[in-house]
Amino acid sequence: MYYILLDNISSIQKGFMITSRPSMPAPEKNYNTYDIPGRDGTLYEDLGTIDDIEIEVECNYIASEHLWNEKWREIKKWLFERHKLLQFSDDHSCCYRIKTIALSANERTIKIDGSFSITFVLEGYTYFINGLEKQPYEYVKYNPYESTKPLYYITGNGTCILTVNGTECTCAVSDNLIIDTYLQLSYKEDGTNQNTSVNCNYEDLKLLQGDNEISITSGFDLEIVPNWRCY
């Protein structure tokens, strides 16, 4: 049985079915283009970013005539909650980061049947589920995928230096510190803002494709959520 999951909750649990497997688009890379007088063709500069993708999922449900509208309200309520991750039942090892969710009109061809579609606007990258968990930093030095924006979890007290591929990041740590290069924010585990405690350029802390050099000042512990991703 085919279904979707939003933040690990399935469409089956919410009482509706996916009627067909959707088409899976490929993202488009972004380029600057330049036309140079006297030169044939156009020059393309790879900006290192990709566009969002859009996936449409066809759905239906069955409810008694008197509960048909109530069920539709329940489905809408769940879908319009703030969800972060979308998964498909035939690809449990991967997920997509959700940007927006839109619903079509609900067609009622018979009294007990409802048919509608969900349109997801998603970040263009596909993320690996095992890359969304904290891991000892020694385990993520090799990145077999595309360059990625990790979260660094530092534990300790005092000033330390996190070094990633030659870039030194000076951090003032009080018990714990999270450097979130995906959101370009720093904060404690309780959510307290710590942006002023970190002195570095978040873009320089990416994990590059292939081997990465990572180190932390002695006396501090470091774990990383690598956010492994591919096209």
Side-chain angles (χ1 to χ4, degrees), residues 2-3 6 43-44 47 50 91 96 108 114 117 132 145 149 157 167 175 203 215:
Y2 189 71
Y3 56 90
L6 301 181
L43 293 181
Y44 292 85
L47 299 179
I50 59 174
D91 194 17
Y96 297 88
R108 191 176 189 176
S117 64
L132 302 179
Y145 309 109
K149 300 176 181 180
N157 284 281
T167 295
D175 295 330
E203 285 293 319
S215 63

Side-chain angles (χ1 to χ4, degrees), residues 15 40 57 85 137 150 182-183 193 213:
D40 294 328
V57 180
L85 301 177
Y137 76 93
Y182 182 81
L183 295 178
N193 188 297
E213 294 188 7

Side-chain angles (χ1 to χ4, degrees), residues 6 78-81 83 98-103 118-121:
L6 301 181
W78 179 61
L79 289 172
F80 285 146
E81 290 173 0
H83 298 289
I98 299 169
K99 293 199 169 181
T100 66
I101 297 176
L103 296 179
I118 311 169
T119 300
F120 294 96
V121 175

Side-chain angles (χ1 to χ4, degrees), residues 6 38 46 74 81 94 103 112 123-124 129 145 187 196 217 219:
L6 301 181
D46 188 344
E74 290 176 2
E81 290 173 0
C94 294
L103 296 179
I112 63 172
E123 185 179 316
I129 295 296
Y145 309 109
Y187 43 87
T196 59
T217 300

